[in-house]
Amino acid sequence: MTRSLAILGATGSVGTQALDVVARHPGEFELDALSAWRSLHELAALAQTHRPRCVVVPDAASASSIAGLLPARTEVLVGEPGLVEAASAADVVLNAIVGFAGVPATLAALRAGRHLALANKESLIVAADLVEHVRATPGAQLLPVDSEHCAVHQCLAGLSGPDPMRSVRRIILTASGGPFRGKLTEELADVTVADALAHPTWQMGPKITVDCSTLMNKGLEVLEAAALFGVGVGLVDVVVHPQSIVHSMVELVDGSTLAQLNRPDMRLPIAYALGYPARFDDGFGRLTLDEPLELTFEPPDLAAFPCLGLAYEAARLGGTAPAWLNAADECAVEAFLSGTLPWRGIAQVIDATLQRYDDTPCDDIEALLKADMTARGVASGIIESMALSSARP
Ligand code: MG
């Protein structure tokens, strides 16, 4: 049976790979909606190829700028209400929006009882409590697109019994270690943007690639895993695995460790999340094992990569602290990418921002929006004063 599909964040790395998956399985999905916030011309080109029922753009000005480039019958929706409408309407929703802006679409899709393939980590990191609430909606399904969480989901799916989580001793997320694996703190003083963007195993957008270089991506994924699988962060460990072939593991109480393996290819978790419980026969990144394959594991270096520890710290603080962590990271990474903050400054900004966390509980989306804004204000102030003091002779 053909299911209608909304791809939110269609022009990004996950969005375009999802369109590739969809194109391989004609008849499985009918494109209902595509959204983009910045790459409007790319969005229009995708709409010409895939002919969705509607597209979603940020505002009225964007809508009029692409109106003439769209197929005649494609409707244009605008802003957050447009995203919420698109996320509520389709049978299957892929939320690949970058950052905090993706939260309302997640809540809308689950509230409407949709099958949600979630690539927007922030929904689970900053809005865990709110997502938990709407996940109980009849029909709602939440499938992780993040490769590590997709791996854990697959490991857990193999456990039987009334409460399979009782057999779990811990979840072990693997990290590639990024481009600076093995470097010491002092060797990381003047890394450039190009260095940070040279990820050894995965091709991704710039924000997440920088987050991989600081291990903040893994820190955010610890919070994501805790929310997704309903465990405390104390049950989520991280191990560095530079080959990125074991995508994560689950250790059971009897001493068994389950793992999911394939060569890095985001189309596998995307296809898993879109098709679940069915599997497609694409063989993305399959292991032929016809030549030697070495897999290594090592503990993360928390001194050279303090961002990982800061994520656990935010989880310990609770309330809206994860929103503060996320906002501070977004500001710091943006400042790093624009050349106003050194790489090691990213962790310093996040640390200093968390130290000013105000203990606000996470009651509703308004509280989150306020926490996000407050934390951004604090982080921007810290970035500015750091830039000033480093400019002084
Ligand atoms: Mg990941």
Side-chain angles (χ1 to χ4, degrees):
M1 194 185 74
T2 306
R3 296 180 297 166
S4 63
L5 171 66
I7 300 183
L8 308 178
T11 56
S13 167
V14 169
T16 48
Q17 292 183 81
L19 285 166
D20 176 41
V21 171
V22 169
R24 289 161 182 266
H25 301 282
E28 284 287 339
F29 300 102
E30 183 178 83
L31 240 326
D32 188 62
L34 293 174
S35 86
W37 245 222
R38 289 184 189 161
S39 312
L40 296 176
H41 282 94
E42 270 179 61
L43 177 67
L46 291 177
Q48 287 295 350
T49 309
H50 300 280
R51 312 248 149 196
R53 178 184 63 84
C54 66
V55 295
V56 192
V57 296
D59 46 39
S62 319
S64 52
S65 83
I66 67 161
L69 306 172
L70 295 172
R73 273 195 279 177
T74 299
E75 195 186 335
V76 185
L77 306 179
V78 170
E80 189 186 302
L83 288 177
V84 165
E85 189 183 326
S88 314
D91 298 324
V92 179
V93 178
L94 171 64
N95 182 355
I97 297 171
V98 176
F100 188 78
V103 175
T106 292
L107 297 177
L110 293 173
R111 202 175 281 130
R114 301 307 176 195
H115 176 123
L116 173 65
L118 185 61
N120 174 263
K121 296 182 202 296
E122 289 76 6
S123 296
L124 286 167
I125 294 159
V126 307
D129 297 349
L130 308 181
V131 168
E132 183 58 36
H133 196 68
V134 287
R135 259 174 105 172
T137 310
Q141 284 218 74
L142 176 50
L143 276 304
V145 169
D146 213 345
S147 60
E148 295 79 0
H149 304 76
C150 178
V152 172
H153 194 275
Q154 294 180 65
C155 293
L156 293 176
L159 300 179
S160 49
D163 185 4
M165 288 308 286
R166 286 188 57 179
S167 318
V168 174
R169 187 186 302 279
R170 60 177 177 147
I171 288 169
I172 307 165
L173 301 181
T174 53
S176 71
F180 308 136
R181 180 177 63 88
K183 294 249 188 291
L184 302 171
T185 310
E186 52 274 22
E187 295 174 295
L188 293 166
D190 34 42
V191 305
T192 64
V193 170
D195 295 335
L197 290 179
H199 195 281
T201 50
W202 289 102
Q203 288 294 319
M204 300 168 295
K207 158 72 168 58
I208 185 171
T209 306
V210 174
D211 278 345
C212 286
S213 78
T214 60
L215 289 195
M216 179 50 98
N217 181 54
K218 210 50 55 179
L220 294 172
E221 287 180 352
V222 168
L223 298 180
E224 186 186 357
L228 191 56
F229 303 112
V231 299
V233 290
L235 257 64
V236 186
D237 285 341
V238 171
V239 66
V240 174
H241 166 54
Q243 295 85 11
S244 298
I245 285 182
V246 173
H247 294 295
S248 278
M249 297 176 266
V250 173
E251 185 189 332
L252 305 181
V253 288
D254 65 358
S256 286
T257 296
L258 309 180
Q260 185 266 327
L261 291 75
N262 72 310
R263 292 197 185 278
D265 188 330
M266 274 309 290
R267 292 173 302 176
L268 173 64
I270 292 167
Y272 178 85
L274 290 178
Y276 183 86
R279 287 189 187 253
F280 298 135
D281 61 359
D282 301 294
F284 292 125
R286 62 181 288 265
L287 294 177
T288 55
L289 301 176
D290 50 11
E291 49 190 81
L293 174 67
E294 196 182 351
L295 304 174
T296 59
F297 302 92
E298 64 199 44
D301 179 350
L302 293 173
F305 302 94
C307 285
L308 183 54
L310 290 170
Y312 282 96
E313 170 67 7
R316 196 189 59 75
L317 290 169
T320 49
W324 278 61
L325 176 87
N326 178 67
D329 180 54
E330 285 189 16
C331 292
V333 170
E334 204 177 298
F336 169 68
L337 286 170
S338 70
T340 50
L341 188 71
W343 183 87
R344 287 196 307 190
I346 297 173
Q348 290 162 358
V349 167
I350 297 166
D351 190 6
T353 305
L354 276 185
Q355 283 179 31
R356 289 176 52 190
Y357 169 58
D358 61 5
D359 265 322
T360 310
C362 173
D363 293 331
D364 47 31
I365 192 128
E366 281 72 32
L368 278 178
L369 283 167
K370 196 160 165 273
D372 181 68
M373 259 179 43
T374 310
R376 274 171 206 278
V378 171
S380 304
I382 293 166
I383 291 166
E384 229 166 88
S385 64
M386 281 171 68
L388 280 177
S389 67
S390 72
R392 240 174 256 138

mmCIF file of all heavy atoms in Angstrom, residues 64-88:
data_model
loop_
_atom_site.group_PDB
_atom_site.id
_atom_site.type_symbol
_atom_site.label_atom_id
_atom_site.label_comp_id
_atom_site.label_asym_id
_atom_site.label_seq_id
_atom_site.Cartn_x
_atom_site.Cartn_y
_atom_site.Cartn_z
ATOM 1 N N SER A 64 6.735 33.885 -2.157
ATOM 2 C CA SER A 64 6.559 34.571 -3.445
ATOM 3 C C SER A 64 7.804 34.439 -4.312
ATOM 4 O O SER A 64 7.708 34.420 -5.539
ATOM 5 C CB SER A 64 6.137 36.041 -3.253
ATOM 6 O OG SER A 64 7.012 36.669 -2.375
ATOM 7 N N SER A 65 8.977 34.296 -3.671
ATOM 8 C CA SER A 65 10.192 34.185 -4.486
ATOM 9 C C SER A 65 10.266 32.857 -5.248
ATOM 10 O O SER A 65 10.911 32.778 -6.292
ATOM 11 C CB SER A 65 11.447 34.396 -3.634
ATOM 12 O OG SER A 65 11.814 33.211 -2.975
ATOM 13 N N ILE A 66 9.628 31.788 -4.734
ATOM 14 C CA ILE A 66 9.701 30.531 -5.492
ATOM 15 C C ILE A 66 8.388 30.144 -6.178
ATOM 16 O O ILE A 66 8.335 29.129 -6.884
ATOM 17 C CB ILE A 66 10.215 29.324 -4.667
ATOM 18 C CG1 ILE A 66 9.232 28.921 -3.576
ATOM 19 C CG2 ILE A 66 11.593 29.547 -4.114
ATOM 20 C CD1 ILE A 66 9.509 27.488 -3.093
ATOM 21 N N ALA A 67 7.348 30.963 -5.971
ATOM 22 C CA ALA A 67 6.027 30.605 -6.502
ATOM 23 C C ALA A 67 6.085 30.227 -7.988
ATOM 24 O O ALA A 67 5.519 29.217 -8.410
ATOM 25 C CB ALA A 67 5.049 31.744 -6.279
ATOM 26 N N GLY A 68 6.804 31.016 -8.797
ATOM 27 C CA GLY A 68 6.853 30.783 -10.234
ATOM 28 C C GLY A 68 7.689 29.576 -10.638
ATOM 29 O O GLY A 68 7.658 29.161 -11.798
ATOM 30 N N LEU A 69 8.452 29.012 -9.680
ATOM 31 C CA LEU A 69 9.365 27.910 -10.008
ATOM 32 C C LEU A 69 8.768 26.545 -9.694
ATOM 33 O O LEU A 69 9.395 25.511 -9.952
ATOM 34 C CB LEU A 69 10.670 28.066 -9.214
ATOM 35 C CG LEU A 69 11.390 29.413 -9.361
ATOM 36 C CD1 LEU A 69 12.545 29.517 -8.375
ATOM 37 C CD2 LEU A 69 11.890 29.591 -10.794
ATOM 38 N N LEU A 70 7.572 26.533 -9.114
ATOM 39 C CA LEU A 70 6.977 25.268 -8.651
ATOM 40 C C LEU A 70 6.011 24.694 -9.683
ATOM 41 O O LEU A 70 5.469 25.430 -10.512
ATOM 42 C CB LEU A 70 6.211 25.520 -7.341
ATOM 43 C CG LEU A 70 7.065 25.949 -6.146
ATOM 44 C CD1 LEU A 70 6.166 26.355 -4.980
ATOM 45 C CD2 LEU A 70 8.011 24.837 -5.724
ATOM 46 N N PRO A 71 5.775 23.385 -9.629
ATOM 47 C CA PRO A 71 4.734 22.809 -10.487
ATOM 48 C C PRO A 71 3.387 23.471 -10.176
ATOM 49 O O PRO A 71 3.142 23.878 -9.035
ATOM 50 C CB PRO A 71 4.702 21.329 -10.068
ATOM 51 C CG PRO A 71 5.986 21.071 -9.361
ATOM 52 C CD PRO A 71 6.423 22.372 -8.779
ATOM 53 N N ALA A 72 2.522 23.559 -11.185
ATOM 54 C CA ALA A 72 1.291 24.349 -11.063
ATOM 55 C C ALA A 72 0.437 23.947 -9.858
ATOM 56 O O ALA A 72 -0.154 24.794 -9.201
ATOM 57 C CB ALA A 72 0.487 24.217 -12.352
ATOM 58 N N ARG A 73 0.372 22.635 -9.554
ATOM 59 C CA ARG A 73 -0.565 22.226 -8.512
ATOM 60 C C ARG A 73 0.060 22.105 -7.120
ATOM 61 O O ARG A 73 -0.600 21.683 -6.174
ATOM 62 C CB ARG A 73 -1.245 20.915 -8.906
ATOM 63 C CG ARG A 73 -2.485 21.210 -9.767
ATOM 64 C CD ARG A 73 -3.374 20.013 -9.875
ATOM 65 N NE ARG A 73 -2.862 19.112 -10.903
ATOM 66 C CZ ARG A 73 -3.407 17.935 -11.193
ATOM 67 N NH1 ARG A 73 -4.440 17.509 -10.519
ATOM 68 N NH2 ARG A 73 -2.904 17.182 -12.153
ATOM 69 N N THR A 74 1.347 22.467 -6.993
ATOM 70 C CA THR A 74 1.994 22.383 -5.674
ATOM 71 C C THR A 74 1.613 23.588 -4.828
ATOM 72 O O THR A 74 1.845 24.734 -5.202
ATOM 73 C CB THR A 74 3.530 22.302 -5.831
ATOM 74 O OG1 THR A 74 3.854 21.123 -6.560
ATOM 75 C CG2 THR A 74 4.219 22.242 -4.470
ATOM 76 N N GLU A 75 1.058 23.275 -3.653
ATOM 77 C CA GLU A 75 0.625 24.322 -2.727
ATOM 78 C C GLU A 75 1.838 24.782 -1.907
ATOM 79 O O GLU A 75 2.746 23.998 -1.666
ATOM 80 C CB GLU A 75 -0.419 23.678 -1.804
ATOM 81 C CG GLU A 75 -1.264 24.621 -0.994
ATOM 82 C CD GLU A 75 -2.155 23.843 0.004
ATOM 83 O OE1 GLU A 75 -2.459 22.659 -0.266
ATOM 84 O OE2 GLU A 75 -2.479 24.423 1.030
ATOM 85 N N VAL A 76 1.840 26.058 -1.483
ATOM 86 C CA VAL A 76 2.946 26.559 -0.656
ATOM 87 C C VAL A 76 2.443 26.854 0.754
ATOM 88 O O VAL A 76 1.528 27.657 0.935
ATOM 89 C CB VAL A 76 3.574 27.840 -1.262
ATOM 90 C CG1 VAL A 76 4.796 28.253 -0.434
ATOM 91 C CG2 VAL A 76 3.975 27.611 -2.705
ATOM 92 N N LEU A 77 3.020 26.184 1.756
ATOM 93 C CA LEU A 77 2.704 26.470 3.155
ATOM 94 C C LEU A 77 3.867 27.266 3.738
ATOM 95 O O LEU A 77 4.988 27.186 3.249
ATOM 96 C CB LEU A 77 2.509 25.175 3.946
ATOM 97 C CG LEU A 77 1.497 24.169 3.399
ATOM 98 C CD1 LEU A 77 1.440 22.927 4.291
ATOM 99 C CD2 LEU A 77 0.119 24.801 3.271
ATOM 100 N N VAL A 78 3.561 28.008 4.830
ATOM 101 C CA VAL A 78 4.541 28.968 5.321
ATOM 102 C C VAL A 78 4.792 28.811 6.822
ATOM 103 O O VAL A 78 3.860 28.612 7.598
ATOM 104 C CB VAL A 78 4.038 30.403 5.009
ATOM 105 C CG1 VAL A 78 4.899 31.440 5.724
ATOM 106 C CG2 VAL A 78 4.059 30.653 3.505
ATOM 107 N N GLY A 79 6.062 28.908 7.198
ATOM 108 C CA GLY A 79 6.467 29.036 8.603
ATOM 109 C C GLY A 79 6.212 27.796 9.434
ATOM 110 O O GLY A 79 5.941 26.709 8.924
ATOM 111 N N GLU A 80 6.299 27.984 10.769
ATOM 112 C CA GLU A 80 6.090 26.868 11.684
ATOM 113 C C GLU A 80 4.687 26.260 11.542
ATOM 114 O O GLU A 80 4.550 25.024 11.557
ATOM 115 C CB GLU A 80 6.344 27.339 13.120
ATOM 116 C CG GLU A 80 6.351 26.199 14.107
ATOM 117 C CD GLU A 80 6.464 26.688 15.543
ATOM 118 O OE1 GLU A 80 7.463 27.379 15.841
ATOM 119 O OE2 GLU A 80 5.565 26.384 16.348
ATOM 120 N N PRO A 81 3.617 27.091 11.379
ATOM 121 C CA PRO A 81 2.297 26.477 11.169
ATOM 122 C C PRO A 81 2.274 25.578 9.929
ATOM 123 O O PRO A 81 1.604 24.539 9.921
ATOM 124 C CB PRO A 81 1.363 27.681 10.993
ATOM 125 C CG PRO A 81 2.063 28.817 11.657
ATOM 126 C CD PRO A 81 3.535 28.564 11.476
ATOM 127 N N GLY A 82 3.014 25.956 8.906
ATOM 128 C CA GLY A 82 3.099 25.141 7.696
ATOM 129 C C GLY A 82 3.773 23.805 7.972
ATOM 130 O O GLY A 82 3.327 22.754 7.501
ATOM 131 N N LEU A 83 4.867 23.829 8.760
ATOM 132 C CA LEU A 83 5.570 22.594 9.123
ATOM 133 C C LEU A 83 4.665 21.682 9.941
ATOM 134 O O LEU A 83 4.621 20.473 9.739
ATOM 135 C CB LEU A 83 6.830 22.916 9.944
ATOM 136 C CG LEU A 83 7.998 23.538 9.202
ATOM 137 C CD1 LEU A 83 9.122 23.865 10.189
ATOM 138 C CD2 LEU A 83 8.512 22.620 8.098
ATOM 139 N N VAL A 84 3.941 22.297 10.884
ATOM 140 C CA VAL A 84 3.049 21.528 11.755
ATOM 141 C C VAL A 84 1.937 20.888 10.923
ATOM 142 O O VAL A 84 1.610 19.715 11.106
ATOM 143 C CB VAL A 84 2.477 22.450 12.868
ATOM 144 C CG1 VAL A 84 1.282 21.811 13.564
ATOM 145 C CG2 VAL A 84 3.584 22.772 13.871
ATOM 146 N N GLU A 85 1.409 21.650 9.961
ATOM 147 C CA GLU A 85 0.353 21.118 9.085
ATOM 148 C C GLU A 85 0.896 19.939 8.258
ATOM 149 O O GLU A 85 0.266 18.883 8.172
ATOM 150 C CB GLU A 85 -0.158 22.234 8.166
ATOM 151 C CG GLU A 85 -1.404 21.840 7.387
ATOM 152 C CD GLU A 85 -1.858 22.947 6.427
ATOM 153 O OE1 GLU A 85 -1.701 24.149 6.764
ATOM 154 O OE2 GLU A 85 -2.344 22.599 5.340
ATOM 155 N N ALA A 86 2.084 20.119 7.675
ATOM 156 C CA ALA A 86 2.682 19.050 6.855
ATOM 157 C C ALA A 86 2.996 17.817 7.696
ATOM 158 O O ALA A 86 2.779 16.677 7.273
ATOM 159 C CB ALA A 86 3.941 19.564 6.170
ATOM 160 N N ALA A 87 3.489 18.050 8.932
ATOM 161 C CA ALA A 87 3.863 16.929 9.812
ATOM 162 C C ALA A 87 2.641 16.174 10.317
ATOM 163 O O ALA A 87 2.737 15.001 10.678
ATOM 164 C CB ALA A 87 4.679 17.440 10.998
ATOM 165 N N SER A 88 1.490 16.839 10.340
ATOM 166 C CA SER A 88 0.270 16.184 10.827
ATOM 167 C C SER A 88 -0.444 15.424 9.721
ATOM 168 O O SER A 88 -1.243 14.530 9.995
ATOM 169 C CB SER A 88 -0.710 17.219 11.406
ATOM 170 O OG SER A 88 -0.053 18.121 12.241
#
